[in-house]
Amino acid sequence: MSQTTGIDVAEQQEWKGQSTDRKEDGRLLRGEGRFADDWNRPGQLYVHLVRSPYGHARVRSVDVSEAEELSGVVTLTGSEVREQTDPFQQLAPPPGGEMRDYCLAGDRVRFMGEPVVAVAAPTRRLARDAAELVRVDYEPLEAVTTAEGTVADGAPLLHEEVGTNVAWQRTFDWGDIDGALEHADHVVSIDRLHFHRFSSTPLEASAALVEYDEGGGWTLHCNNQMPQFAVMFMAPALRTTTARFRYVTKDIGGGFGIKITSYPYLTILCLLARKARRPIKWTEWRSEHIMGSAHGNERTFLDVRVPVLDDGTILGFDVRALDDVGAYTRYEPLGGVIWSQVTPGCYRFRNIRVDYSTVVTNKTPAGPNRGYSRMQHLWFIERVVDIVAHELGFDPVELRKQNYIQPDEFPYETPNGCVYDSGDYPRMLDLALEMVGHDDWRRRREEARGSGKLIGIGIGTTLDSGANNFGQAQLINPHLPYSGNGEMANARMDLFGEVVLTLGTAPQGQSHETTAAQVAADILGVAPDEVFVRTGQDTGRGVYTGFSGTYASQFAVTGLGAVQGAAEALKADLVAVAAALLEVSEEDVVLADGAAHSKTDPEKSMALGELVGVVHTNNTALPDDLEVTLNRNYLYRPPLSAPDTESAFGNLTLTYAAQLHVCVLEVDEETGQVEILDYVAVDDCGRRINPMVVEGQVHGAAALGIGAVLNESLVYDEDGQLLSTNFLDYKAVTSVDVPDIRMTDIESPSPFSPSGAKGMGEGGGTPLHTVTAALQDVSAQRHGALVTDTHNPAETVHRLLRTEGKPGLQVTSN
Amino acid sequence: MRVEGSSSVQMSRSDLWDALTDPAALSRALSATVAPAAGEGDRWEVIIRPSLGSLGRPRLRATFELVDQQPGEWLRIRMHAIGSENVVDAEGEARLSGDGQSTEVSWEGDVSLGGVIGSVGQRSGRDLVQAQIDQVLRSLSRAGA
């Protein structure tokens, strides 16, 4: 035993709340990260996919004979897929549930870029050359590429077995919207608002190396960000059990939700690996990623009606929403309920009706892109608030404050039973306005008139709901066996006393290793540098549960909740051993500075390494009745219950982070060109585990939103041709496009999470709300035409300034 | 997209007509050709790899069909070219006029680009198609001289 002074627990440094350096950065900056394309195996074959050049076509014939004449080439066709697999299961009930979705097209292609034939060859170039020898005879069919078009009479039917292009529909009705509309002093009616199609642009496209095991299983070295979701679709399709799959992820270069629905491609690789009896490697080209991975949901809001009282109280809204999810419903129609996690946004709206339809079109299937489904709905809410303010003559700041949920109303139950845990939106707004210099910008806005440049100021308030309750899936289909949430972690001591954490998540830049180490360090009395966190997920050797993965703004709650539980259990083991060896009570033991100490006897302490050695390799010193493993799993389950499926009432998410942005922009009246002059963001994600990490997420989410609202758009022509298949045409946001974003934060701890932290990272698309609000402010200085779309490049702004009247808007007053 | 233009070719009208209706001569004249024409009569197939700048040189199997003609006066050709992720469809008419050692050719037609190269179509497709037609006529002109 070593000599030491007494330990004062209160003086121990707390790592949570510190902006510690990221554990991930060292290897990444040295080029030692291991990404999916870095995996190689002797004898591997490379895959190139033959993809449909048509948005909609019948496949009359497929001839791979010429390709297979090349040495070493193996192919996989849609016919083989239909012999060897069953269609992927569907989440929707009938009719959408009847959809037959396979990993390769059969007799029909339904989006440009849909894979038709897979070609594998000993080199990447040969695979590409061989793919060009595949003959596919197409018969082009009429395509439908808009939500309104696909539900119109006479629209081409995408899936005959479904019988309709409406894959799912439900009307949600809470409160009394008809009564509110009848008794309101004013009703603001908006014909149409449109959330455009864009996506995230991970630096790393999808990739995988798949090996087939002669015992009948597969190992997939990949960058799928939610392998447990993937296996639930792949296993039944491949007519086997989930135990036959081992998913291994390491470093992932961005996911943003898009890498959740890569399972059709992984299925192709599994089939090829089994057919060829060789490892199969596939890496997407950028154009393939843009046209064939997943796009964000495109949503059209029609027939909006908003009842408002004279004092500015907004009573609710009525809307018809068409959600265009592309050609196949893969993660859909979950988006049909996920928006309802944030039904009233940040506001006290009590009367809400949403007639929601999930519709299919001849476009790339949607995936749960960052801010999934909530982003679209929150933009709609903010547009409504902003338009009401402009049209009824209210100050946008005061109208928001009046309608916000107030701090003393938390926890706040929304009309559909979601419980917002904590927050202070008025304070966030005040902070943002002060930070941006709101009064000064208002003065400068007035001074700018007549100069050829117009200044606009916009506010966007949004929520980042985190830690899903998967019971919401039952609101889509009551037969789905999903509810609650969970995440697993393992904490153990290795032979020499190092703390080792294994997570169930598959991070793509969210700093899980760093924050997990901080949490464990605090509990175990070590420094984060003394905690080794395994990179990525490995279902063959690691820990996971059915919900494991990295998605939906939840790691700070579920992942770190699991780490906390595992570390606490490990601590209990260490304390028990220390108490036995130091001959003190367990209550007398404290872990600090990498050792176990007696609080009351400074003579008694033992380094963790020494203590661990007694358990692992020198255990005759252990009492016979002491059962410890120093190897602890923990499954964290958030306190959630299944919602009522009939009334669609219940708590769908555990925590609610919030962001509030203010944007000041300048528009050149001649060209419509937009320049952001100032931009501030206020974040509230409860207790911040690592402020630097939080700020990085806020910054990244803001960049994404700015890119989308001003530059990025996935454009289709009427034949279903995607016209923006590469970075020449899809103007992804870069560092030169993003203004200096000034940030501050408040902390409203969640009463529901283990540490008070709230999940965050998706950002809710705040710039989409904020910039469109600023453009509305600009428009108000001309003719006041409505900003009705999330995508506002220069040509759209130019048109906005020249639109006279307010088409699509009606205000009736009693 | 609609394309149209005119050019002067240093060949007699009869020689030019023969070249335009000879699959082998046409495929030799097209710089993107990587395999000789195969087929007979009014329908033939060539393998082409057009250069599309940053989008590389995608391999396309192009089927040409002589749809209609008035010998020595005009002809109408249809083309369907398809690759592993691209498709080009075109149909157009060429008219010949003039006597002597040079012939005036005017043409017009519709072209659609699909697949990955569709993005090219919206920006520079017309220029690319025009350049290909000009290049074929120049090649024929050099061969005639």
Side-chain angles (χ1 to χ4, degrees):
Chain A
M1 297 178 196
S2 53
Q3 302 276 340
T4 187
T5 57
I7 299 298
D8 184 343
V9 174
E11 285 185 359
Q12 297 308 300
Q13 176 173 13
E14 188 178 18
W15 295 104
K16 285 200 302 292
Q18 303 296 318
S19 292
T20 60
D21 289 345
R22 286 188 359 124
K23 294 174 80 67
E24 296 88 339
D25 285 345
R27 68 172 185 274
L28 293 177
L29 291 172
R30 290 191 301 270
E32 293 170 2
R34 193 166 184 86
F35 297 87
D37 188 57
D38 292 326
W39 290 98
N40 291 292
R41 288 286 186 269
Q44 66 192 14
L45 300 180
Y46 298 81
V47 172
H48 192 86
L49 295 167
V50 177
R51 294 179 180 268
S52 170
Y54 293 104
H56 196 193
R58 192 160 287 122
V59 178
R60 289 199 282 223
S61 67
V62 174
D63 182 356
V64 300
S65 57
E66 209 175 328
E68 288 190 329
E69 286 175 2
L70 298 182
S71 176
V73 168
V74 180
T75 66
L76 184 74
T77 65
S79 299
E80 289 175 278
V81 165
R82 279 147 185 78
E83 288 167 9
Q84 299 173 35
T85 71
D86 291 327
F88 293 120
Q89 67 167 346
Q90 293 295 319
L91 298 174
E98 303 297 332
M99 192 179 298
R100 299 179 73 77
D101 180 14
Y102 292 87
C103 60
L104 287 177
D107 61 1
R108 189 122 71 110
V109 290
R110 295 175 174 86
F111 67 95
M112 189 193 107
E114 182 171 2
V116 180
V117 176
V119 178
T123 69
R124 217 189 288 269
R125 284 182 183 270
L126 184 58
R128 197 166 192 185
D129 287 347
E132 292 179 337
L133 296 177
V134 173
R135 291 179 180 248
V136 183
D137 185 15
Y138 297 98
E139 176 192 330
L141 299 172
E142 184 186 356
V144 58
T145 57
T146 65
E148 289 123 303
T150 205
V151 299
D153 290 339
L157 185 61
L158 265 73
H159 300 275
E160 270 145 16
E161 67 276 14
V162 177
T164 170
N165 290 336
V166 180
W168 183 80
Q169 188 278 335
R170 181 166 184 167
T171 300
F172 299 87
D173 197 340
W174 302 290
D176 179 13
I177 186 60
D178 290 324
L181 288 165
E182 188 182 334
H183 295 108
D185 296 315
H186 312 277
V187 175
V188 176
S189 300
I190 306 162
D191 285 355
R192 184 180 190 272
L193 297 170
H194 177 248
F195 192 102
H196 79 291
R197 179 175 275 250
F198 63 95
S199 199
S200 300
T201 48
L203 285 174
E204 181 202 27
S206 291
L209 175 83
V210 176
E211 299 172 274
Y212 179 67
D213 171 357
E214 291 301 332
W218 292 271
T219 299
L220 300 88
H221 299 275
C222 63
N223 52 20
N224 184 284
Q225 68 183 91
M226 195 176 174
Q228 301 321 307
F229 180 83
V231 78
M232 286 187 208
F233 287 78
M234 293 176 66
L238 286 163
R239 301 168 183 162
T240 186
T241 66
T242 61
R244 296 292 187 272
F245 299 85
R246 177 183 172 196
Y247 295 86
V248 181
T249 72
K250 291 289 184 187
D251 292 302
I252 300 177
F256 311 108
I258 299 170
K259 287 176 174 157
I260 288 177
T261 51
S262 61
Y263 61 86
Y265 294 102
L266 297 179
T267 304
I268 291 171
L269 305 182
C270 286
L271 289 169
L272 271 172
R274 187 169 65 187
K275 181 176 182 180
R277 291 303 204 265
R278 301 268 288 274
I280 298 292
K281 182 169 169 136
W282 170 70
T283 306
E284 270 180 331
W285 299 87
R286 177 58 59 181
S287 58
E288 288 188 288
H289 181 78
I290 293 177
M291 69 178 172
S293 59
H295 293 174
N297 295 54
E298 181 180 351
R299 195 167 299 170
T300 305
F301 302 92
L302 300 169
D303 307 325
V304 183
R305 291 186 298 164
V306 187
V308 187
L309 299 180
D310 275 336
D311 66 357
T313 301
I314 299 174
L315 300 177
F317 56 85
D318 184 16
V319 65
R320 192 160 62 95
L322 300 178
D323 198 55
D324 176 354
V325 301
Y328 296 96
T329 51
R330 294 209 167 135
Y331 207 76
E332 300 299 327
L334 282 176
V337 292
I338 282 178
W339 63 268
S340 67
Q341 296 172 7
V342 294
T343 297
C346 299
Y347 304 98
R348 286 182 291 189
F349 305 158
R350 301 305 301 180
N351 307 289
I352 293 165
R353 180 165 58 212
V354 177
D355 175 350
Y356 188 103
S357 296
T358 299
V359 300
V360 292
T361 60
N362 293 114
K363 298 187 210 173
T364 301
N369 186 43
R370 191 176 194 176
Y372 177 48
S373 192
R374 290 102 81 222
M375 177 167 61
Q376 288 79 355
H377 184 75
L378 289 163
W379 175 79
F380 162 74
I381 296 277
E382 286 294 291
R383 280 283 67 227
V384 161
V385 170
D386 206 51
I387 289 169
V388 165
H390 278 282
E391 296 312 313
L392 296 183
F394 292 107
D395 181 302
V397 173
E398 296 309 315
L399 187 72
R400 281 178 167 81
K401 283 189 175 178
Q402 180 177 347
N403 285 282
Y404 276 156
I405 299 163
Q406 297 301 312
D408 59 1
E409 294 179 290
F410 288 97
Y412 178 83
E413 187 177 88
T414 68
N416 58 317
C418 289
V419 180
Y420 291 4
D421 47 359
S422 61
D424 191 343
Y425 312 135
R427 185 169 158 229
M428 291 173 79
L429 181 52
D430 285 339
L431 279 172
L433 294 174
E434 184 186 334
M435 198 167 173
V436 83
H438 190 230
D439 290 341
D440 186 51
W441 276 116
R442 280 176 131 164
R443 178 183 55 76
R444 291 169 67 174
R445 179 180 61 189
E446 300 313 307
E447 290 172 356
R449 290 195 198 224
S451 68
K453 309 268 191 180
L454 293 172
I455 290 177
I457 305 168
I459 300 166
T461 326
T462 192
L463 293 170
D464 205 344
S465 48
N468 273 313
N469 178 359
F470 279 93
Q472 62 202 323
Q474 296 178 20
L475 304 184
I476 298 289
N477 182 348
H479 300 295
L480 288 176
Y482 306 125
S483 69
N485 200 331
E487 188 53 86
M488 278 195 74
N490 171 274
R492 68 176 179 83
M493 307 297 293
D494 90 326
L495 298 186
F496 287 176
E498 185 179 26
V499 178
V500 180
L501 294 181
T502 305
L503 310 179
T505 56
Q508 328 98 38
Q510 293 91 342
S511 311
H512 289 189
E513 293 169 41
T514 304
T515 52
Q518 288 176 261
V519 168
D522 279 347
I523 294 169
L524 298 168
V526 298
D529 284 347
E530 295 167 310
V531 178
F532 173 59
V533 186
R534 294 184 182 280
T535 305
Q537 185 183 103
D538 184 339
T539 63
R541 295 188 303 184
V543 292
Y544 61 92
T545 182
F547 303 110
S548 284
T550 301
Y551 59 93
S553 299
Q554 63 180 38
F555 180 74
V557 176
T558 56
L560 293 183
V563 169
Q564 181 174 323
E568 293 280 5
L570 179 61
K571 177 183 177 181
D573 274 3
L574 290 167
V575 165
V577 174
L581 297 178
L582 296 177
E583 296 177 340
V584 297
S585 71
E586 290 189 15
E587 291 71 29
D588 191 38
V589 173
V590 62
L591 302 183
D593 299 328
H597 308 269
S598 164
K599 287 182 217 174
T600 53
D601 185 349
E603 301 284 313
K604 295 187 174 183
S605 73
M606 197 171 191
L608 289 184
E610 192 180 351
L611 187 156
V612 166
V614 171
V615 175
H616 282 315
T617 57
N618 193 14
N619 61 14
T620 55
L622 270 184
D624 292 337
D625 60 347
L626 185 59
E627 290 187 10
V628 292
T629 62
L630 300 185
N631 186 347
R632 294 296 202 157
N633 290 343
Y634 188 84
L635 169 61
Y636 169 77
R637 288 191 304 153
L640 295 165
S641 353
D644 182 86
T645 56
E646 200 161 315
S647 60
F649 187 92
N651 193 14
L652 304 183
T653 328
L654 192 67
T655 65
Y656 287 83
Q659 287 195 32
L660 193 145
H661 295 193
V662 174
C663 169
V664 182
L665 52 78
E666 181 181 80
V667 173
D668 185 309
E669 293 187 80
E670 192 68 31
T671 64
Q673 196 67 36
V674 174
E675 182 184 351
I676 295 177
L677 303 178
D678 204 353
Y679 200 99
V680 303
V682 182
D683 177 75
D684 180 5
C685 61
R687 177 104 193 270
R688 298 184 304 169
I689 307 300
N690 186 315
M692 179 186 70
V693 168
V694 169
E695 286 163 18
Q697 290 293 321
V698 171
H699 196 275
L704 173 79
I706 288 168
V709 71
L710 295 176
N711 292 333
E712 299 179 30
S713 182
L714 291 158
V715 180
Y716 283 82
D717 70 10
E718 63 274 11
D719 294 321
Q721 289 292 317
L722 177 58
L723 301 178
S724 41
T725 57
N726 55 72
F727 283 158
L728 285 173
D729 299 294
Y730 187 83
K731 173 64 179 76
V733 66
T734 67
S735 59
V736 299
D737 302 310
V738 179
D740 181 30
I741 299 172
R742 297 186 289 138
M743 290 185 244
T744 189
D745 68 279
I746 67 172
E747 288 191 1
S748 306
S750 174
F752 304 140
S753 70
S755 64
K758 302 179 184 183
M760 62 85 61
E762 291 180 86
T766 330
L768 290 150
H769 324 318
T770 314
V771 171
T772 50
L775 290 172
Q776 188 68 66
D777 191 40
V778 166
S779 178
Q781 299 171 53
R782 290 292 292 271
H783 305 293
L786 294 188
V787 178
T788 58
D789 203 286
T790 42
H791 187 54
N792 295 277
E795 60 266 31
T796 300
V797 176
H798 184 270
R799 204 161 39 241
L800 176 76
L801 296 181
R802 286 152 181 78
T803 300
E804 296 189 12
K806 299 181 182 182
L809 172 75
Q810 218 183 11
V811 178
T812 55
S813 300
N814 292 331
Chain B
M1 75 196 90
R2 189 83 183 149
V3 294
E4 55 192 4
S6 61
S7 187
S8 182
V9 181
Q10 298 306 311
M11 289 174 89
S12 68
R13 204 200 298 195
S14 62
D15 286 344
L16 181 57
W17 178 265
D18 290 342
L20 288 175
T21 53
D22 178 2
L26 264 185
S27 67
R28 281 196 301 273
L30 183 59
S31 65
T33 300
V34 295
E40 50 188 45
D42 294 337
R43 190 181 169 90
W44 66 95
E45 187 178 281
V46 295
I47 306 299
I48 59 174
R49 298 192 78 122
S51 179
L52 298 176
S54 61
L55 294 181
R57 298 183 63 206
R59 184 184 185 279
L60 301 169
R61 182 178 298 104
T63 304
F64 291 86
E65 186 182 351
L66 187 56
V67 178
D68 201 358
Q69 59 179 300
Q70 184 165 335
E73 298 292 328
W74 56 264
L75 58 87
R76 189 164 192 84
I77 288 183
R78 184 182 297 142
M79 183 198 77
H80 173 72
I82 193 155
S84 66
E85 53 190 20
N86 298 292
V87 63
V88 181
D89 284 299
E91 183 163 333
E93 193 170 291
R95 292 186 170 272
L96 310 184
S97 62
D99 295 307
Q101 295 307 303
S102 72
T103 304
E104 298 303 308
V105 182
S106 64
W107 67 89
E108 61 177 8
D110 293 296
V111 180
S112 70
L113 303 182
V116 176
I117 63 174
S119 62
V120 171
Q122 61 174 330
R123 284 184 283 106
S124 52
R126 185 172 285 106
D127 292 338
L128 280 169
V129 171
Q130 300 275 133
Q132 289 291 319
I133 296 172
D134 286 341
Q135 179 268 312
V136 167
L137 293 176
R138 278 200 307 277
S139 291
L140 290 175
S141 199
R142 280 197 298 272

